[in-house]
Amino acid sequence: AFMGYIFYIQFIRLFIDTPDLLPKWNKVLSLLQVVLIIEIVRISIFVSFTNLISANYHIQNIIASLTLIIIIFFIVRLLSFKSRLIRIITIGTSFLLLGTLVSLFHVILFVKESPLFVQRIGTLAEVFVFTFAISYRYHLMELDKQRYHKRLISQLRENADLHEKVNRELAEKVKERTLEIEEQRDIVISQKNRIEIINKEITDSINYAKYIQSSVLPKPEQLESCLGDHFILY
């Protein structure tokens, strides 16, 4: 029976994740498991080497009562949570506690061996409830998995839409920038052509003026022979 409680407590700790949900109670339950292990060792030695059967029963009843009290307080603490899964675990534990309490009271009141069928009924009810709790938890895990997949698919679609939007905006910006560059290129080409025209006109004008001036003035040899040292200021 004590081994059953040890594994039951371990099941509860793992099933509802007491280290994160109830860290203080997790330490209490761990300590209770250690006490129960020590009690199992004590019973094996005590019964094998002594004939104090009555004393052994009293010690066992004290440890069992202490275990039940701690579990009852733990169940009361669990009732403060609104989780349906935790409430199912609470119901299953209540069946186990009820069967154990009835057996314990029978021993205390009538000083007889506890009726095993009462404990078995409580344990059987607990097993049924815990089986349902495991199935329900699996159902919740499947629902969480489906919700995660839906969120993942939705996120992937949003990412794809965002990627398409970014690509579309980028293409539009590239197109706009290309048009701006082409317009600036056309302006530069137009200015270049205009400058070339102006430059040609200026050069032609200078050359034409030079041609007129060269035609009006005498040849340099004639000026040299007539004037000697001289200069021409245009």
Side-chain angles (χ1 to χ4, degrees):
F2 285 135
M3 289 183 65
Y5 273 108
I6 291 172
F7 288 110
Y8 159 75
I9 293 172
Q10 186 65 20
F11 171 78
I12 292 296
R13 291 175 59 199
L14 295 175
F15 193 80
I16 65 176
D17 195 14
T18 54
D20 292 334
L21 188 65
L22 297 168
K24 293 182 179 180
W25 269 105
N26 183 65
K27 295 180 180 178
V28 173
L29 295 177
S30 299
L31 180 61
L32 180 59
Q33 285 179 298
V34 174
V35 173
L36 293 177
I37 293 173
I38 295 174
E39 178 62 11
I40 291 174
V41 176
R42 185 203 65 78
I43 291 173
S44 303
I45 298 174
F46 198 86
V47 174
S48 300
F49 295 97
T50 67
N51 294 321
L52 301 176
I53 304 300
S54 178
N56 181 65
Y57 270 122
H58 286 301
I59 296 174
Q60 285 184 200
N61 289 335
I62 292 173
I63 299 298
S65 300
L66 177 64
T67 302
L68 289 176
I69 291 173
I70 294 176
I71 293 178
I72 288 173
F73 277 103
F74 177 68
I75 293 302
V76 172
R77 178 67 181 87
L78 290 181
L79 290 175
S80 62
F81 292 94
K82 296 182 180 180
S83 172
R84 185 178 180 183
L85 186 62
I86 293 179
R87 290 183 178 178
I88 294 175
I89 293 297
T90 304
I91 293 173
T93 305
S94 300
F95 283 122
L96 177 65
L97 291 178
L98 184 61
T100 306
L101 287 174
V102 171
S103 299
L104 186 62
F105 285 143
H106 187 275
V107 172
I108 294 174
L109 295 178
F110 300 102
V111 195
K112 295 181 180 180
E113 186 177 355
S114 62
L116 294 179
F117 75 92
V118 178
Q119 287 184 334
R120 289 171 180 171
I121 291 175
T123 303
L124 185 62
E126 177 208 17
V127 169
F128 278 118
V129 174
F130 279 9
T131 302
F132 174 75
I134 293 174
S135 301
Y136 181 69
R137 184 176 184 182
Y138 178 77
H139 174 67
L140 293 179
M141 292 172 62
E142 286 296 318
L143 291 179
D144 289 339
K145 184 178 179 181
Q146 293 176 5
R147 284 194 293 267
Y148 173 77
H149 284 169
K150 289 181 180 179
R151 287 198 301 268
L152 181 60
I153 293 173
S154 177
Q155 186 65 41
L156 290 176
R157 288 177 178 174
E158 291 179 0
N159 291 342
D161 293 340
L162 181 61
H163 183 68
E164 183 179 356
K165 181 180 178 181
V166 169
N167 288 339
R168 186 168 56 251
E169 292 179 352
L170 182 61
E172 291 177 356
K173 289 182 178 179
V174 170
K175 184 177 180 180
E176 292 176 358
R177 185 60 179 167
T178 302
L179 292 176
E180 292 178 359
I181 293 174
E182 290 178 352
E183 291 177 357
Q184 293 177 357
R185 183 200 61 190
D186 294 341
I187 293 174
V188 170
I189 292 175
S190 176
Q191 292 176 346
K192 174 178 175 294
N193 293 335
R194 178 62 179 167
I195 291 173
E196 289 178 350
I197 293 172
I198 294 174
N199 182 64
K200 185 176 183 303
E201 291 177 352
I202 294 174
T203 304
D204 291 344
S205 177
I206 292 174
N207 290 334
Y208 189 67
K210 180 181 179 182
Y211 175 74
I212 293 174
Q213 292 172 352
S214 298
S215 299
V216 171
L217 292 175
K219 294 181 178 181
E221 294 80 5
Q222 294 175 343
L223 292 175
E224 181 70 25
S225 63
C226 296
L227 300 177
D229 293 335
H230 70 281
F231 63 91
I232 300 172
L233 178 63
Y234 293 97

mmCIF file with all atom_site columns, all heavy atoms in Angstrom, residues 32 36 52 62 83 119 150 232:
data_model
loop_
_atom_site.group_PDB
_atom_site.id
_atom_site.type_symbol
_atom_site.label_atom_id
_atom_site.label_alt_id
_atom_site.label_comp_id
_atom_site.label_asym_id
_atom_site.label_entity_id
_atom_site.label_seq_id
_atom_site.pdbx_PDB_ins_code
_atom_site.Cartn_x
_atom_site.Cartn_y
_atom_site.Cartn_z
_atom_site.occupancy
_atom_site.B_iso_or_equiv
_atom_site.pdbx_formal_charge
_atom_site.auth_seq_id
_atom_site.auth_comp_id
_atom_site.auth_asym_id
_atom_site.auth_atom_id
_atom_site.pdbx_PDB_model_num
ATOM 1  N N   . LEU A 1 32  ? 7.608   13.358 1.543   1.00 0.00 ? 32  LEU A N   1
ATOM 2  C CA  . LEU A 1 32  ? 6.663   12.305 1.917   1.00 0.00 ? 32  LEU A CA  1
ATOM 3  C C   . LEU A 1 32  ? 7.036   10.984 1.240   1.00 0.00 ? 32  LEU A C   1
ATOM 4  O O   . LEU A 1 32  ? 6.934   9.910  1.856   1.00 0.00 ? 32  LEU A O   1
ATOM 5  C CB  . LEU A 1 32  ? 5.243   12.722 1.528   1.00 0.00 ? 32  LEU A CB  1
ATOM 6  C CG  . LEU A 1 32  ? 4.130   11.724 1.851   1.00 0.00 ? 32  LEU A CG  1
ATOM 7  C CD1 . LEU A 1 32  ? 4.090   11.428 3.339   1.00 0.00 ? 32  LEU A CD1 1
ATOM 8  C CD2 . LEU A 1 32  ? 2.780   12.253 1.367   1.00 0.00 ? 32  LEU A CD2 1
ATOM 9  N N   . LEU A 1 36  ? 7.878   7.452  3.139   1.00 0.00 ? 36  LEU A N   1
ATOM 10 C CA  . LEU A 1 36  ? 7.203   6.194  2.810   1.00 0.00 ? 36  LEU A CA  1
ATOM 11 C C   . LEU A 1 36  ? 8.206   5.110  2.431   1.00 0.00 ? 36  LEU A C   1
ATOM 12 O O   . LEU A 1 36  ? 8.014   3.931  2.766   1.00 0.00 ? 36  LEU A O   1
ATOM 13 C CB  . LEU A 1 36  ? 6.212   6.426  1.668   1.00 0.00 ? 36  LEU A CB  1
ATOM 14 C CG  . LEU A 1 36  ? 5.008   7.320  2.002   1.00 0.00 ? 36  LEU A CG  1
ATOM 15 C CD1 . LEU A 1 36  ? 4.140   7.519  0.770   1.00 0.00 ? 36  LEU A CD1 1
ATOM 16 C CD2 . LEU A 1 36  ? 4.182   6.732  3.139   1.00 0.00 ? 36  LEU A CD2 1
ATOM 17 N N   . LEU A 1 52  ? 6.207   -7.911 17.273  1.00 0.00 ? 52  LEU A N   1
ATOM 18 C CA  . LEU A 1 52  ? 5.364   -6.818 17.755  1.00 0.00 ? 52  LEU A CA  1
ATOM 19 C C   . LEU A 1 52  ? 4.402   -6.407 16.639  1.00 0.00 ? 52  LEU A C   1
ATOM 20 O O   . LEU A 1 52  ? 4.512   -5.335 16.033  1.00 0.00 ? 52  LEU A O   1
ATOM 21 C CB  . LEU A 1 52  ? 6.234   -5.645 18.190  1.00 0.00 ? 52  LEU A CB  1
ATOM 22 C CG  . LEU A 1 52  ? 7.251   -5.972 19.305  1.00 0.00 ? 52  LEU A CG  1
ATOM 23 C CD1 . LEU A 1 52  ? 8.124   -4.761 19.589  1.00 0.00 ? 52  LEU A CD1 1
ATOM 24 C CD2 . LEU A 1 52  ? 6.511   -6.411 20.567  1.00 0.00 ? 52  LEU A CD2 1
ATOM 25 N N   . ILE A 1 62  ? -0.110  5.376  11.934  1.00 0.00 ? 62  ILE A N   1
ATOM 26 C CA  . ILE A 1 62  ? 0.331   6.771  12.113  1.00 0.00 ? 62  ILE A CA  1
ATOM 27 C C   . ILE A 1 62  ? 0.885   7.324  10.798  1.00 0.00 ? 62  ILE A C   1
ATOM 28 O O   . ILE A 1 62  ? 0.544   8.431  10.370  1.00 0.00 ? 62  ILE A O   1
ATOM 29 C CB  . ILE A 1 62  ? 1.397   6.846  13.240  1.00 0.00 ? 62  ILE A CB  1
ATOM 30 C CG1 . ILE A 1 62  ? 0.754   6.535  14.585  1.00 0.00 ? 62  ILE A CG1 1
ATOM 31 C CG2 . ILE A 1 62  ? 2.041   8.229  13.257  1.00 0.00 ? 62  ILE A CG2 1
ATOM 32 C CD1 . ILE A 1 62  ? 1.760   6.417  15.719  1.00 0.00 ? 62  ILE A CD1 1
ATOM 33 N N   . SER A 1 83  ? -8.408  24.611 -13.466 1.00 0.00 ? 83  SER A N   1
ATOM 34 C CA  . SER A 1 83  ? -8.113  23.697 -14.567 1.00 0.00 ? 83  SER A CA  1
ATOM 35 C C   . SER A 1 83  ? -9.001  22.453 -14.466 1.00 0.00 ? 83  SER A C   1
ATOM 36 O O   . SER A 1 83  ? -9.103  21.825 -13.402 1.00 0.00 ? 83  SER A O   1
ATOM 37 C CB  . SER A 1 83  ? -6.637  23.291 -14.536 1.00 0.00 ? 83  SER A CB  1
ATOM 38 O OG  . SER A 1 83  ? -6.380  22.264 -15.471 1.00 0.00 ? 83  SER A OG  1
ATOM 39 N N   . GLN A 1 119 ? -11.056 -0.545 0.079   1.00 0.00 ? 119 GLN A N   1
ATOM 40 C CA  . GLN A 1 119 ? -9.884  0.065  -0.555  1.00 0.00 ? 119 GLN A CA  1
ATOM 41 C C   . GLN A 1 119 ? -9.832  -0.253 -2.051  1.00 0.00 ? 119 GLN A C   1
ATOM 42 O O   . GLN A 1 119 ? -9.480  0.594  -2.865  1.00 0.00 ? 119 GLN A O   1
ATOM 43 C CB  . GLN A 1 119 ? -8.611  -0.445 0.128   1.00 0.00 ? 119 GLN A CB  1
ATOM 44 C CG  . GLN A 1 119 ? -8.383  0.130  1.523   1.00 0.00 ? 119 GLN A CG  1
ATOM 45 C CD  . GLN A 1 119 ? -7.068  -0.335 2.113   1.00 0.00 ? 119 GLN A CD  1
ATOM 46 O OE1 . GLN A 1 119 ? -6.551  -1.379 1.764   1.00 0.00 ? 119 GLN A OE1 1
ATOM 47 N NE2 . GLN A 1 119 ? -6.544  0.447  3.040   1.00 0.00 ? 119 GLN A NE2 1
ATOM 48 N N   . LYS A 1 150 ? -2.453  25.221 -36.796 1.00 0.00 ? 150 LYS A N   1
ATOM 49 C CA  . LYS A 1 150 ? -3.240  26.282 -37.428 1.00 0.00 ? 150 LYS A CA  1
ATOM 50 C C   . LYS A 1 150 ? -2.517  27.620 -37.326 1.00 0.00 ? 150 LYS A C   1
ATOM 51 O O   . LYS A 1 150 ? -2.470  28.387 -38.294 1.00 0.00 ? 150 LYS A O   1
ATOM 52 C CB  . LYS A 1 150 ? -4.619  26.367 -36.765 1.00 0.00 ? 150 LYS A CB  1
ATOM 53 C CG  . LYS A 1 150 ? -5.533  25.191 -37.081 1.00 0.00 ? 150 LYS A CG  1
ATOM 54 C CD  . LYS A 1 150 ? -6.890  25.352 -36.413 1.00 0.00 ? 150 LYS A CD  1
ATOM 55 C CE  . LYS A 1 150 ? -7.803  24.178 -36.740 1.00 0.00 ? 150 LYS A CE  1
ATOM 56 N NZ  . LYS A 1 150 ? -9.118  24.305 -36.068 1.00 0.00 ? 150 LYS A NZ  1
ATOM 57 N N   . ILE A 1 232 ? 49.479  93.867 -82.094 1.00 0.00 ? 232 ILE A N   1
ATOM 58 C CA  . ILE A 1 232 ? 48.094  94.054 -82.499 1.00 0.00 ? 232 ILE A CA  1
ATOM 59 C C   . ILE A 1 232 ? 47.198  93.745 -81.311 1.00 0.00 ? 232 ILE A C   1
ATOM 60 O O   . ILE A 1 232 ? 47.293  92.648 -80.727 1.00 0.00 ? 232 ILE A O   1
ATOM 61 C CB  . ILE A 1 232 ? 47.729  93.192 -83.709 1.00 0.00 ? 232 ILE A CB  1
ATOM 62 C CG1 . ILE A 1 232 ? 48.629  93.548 -84.922 1.00 0.00 ? 232 ILE A CG1 1
ATOM 63 C CG2 . ILE A 1 232 ? 46.269  93.357 -84.096 1.00 0.00 ? 232 ILE A CG2 1
ATOM 64 C CD1 . ILE A 1 232 ? 48.453  92.609 -86.088 1.00 0.00 ? 232 ILE A CD1 1
#
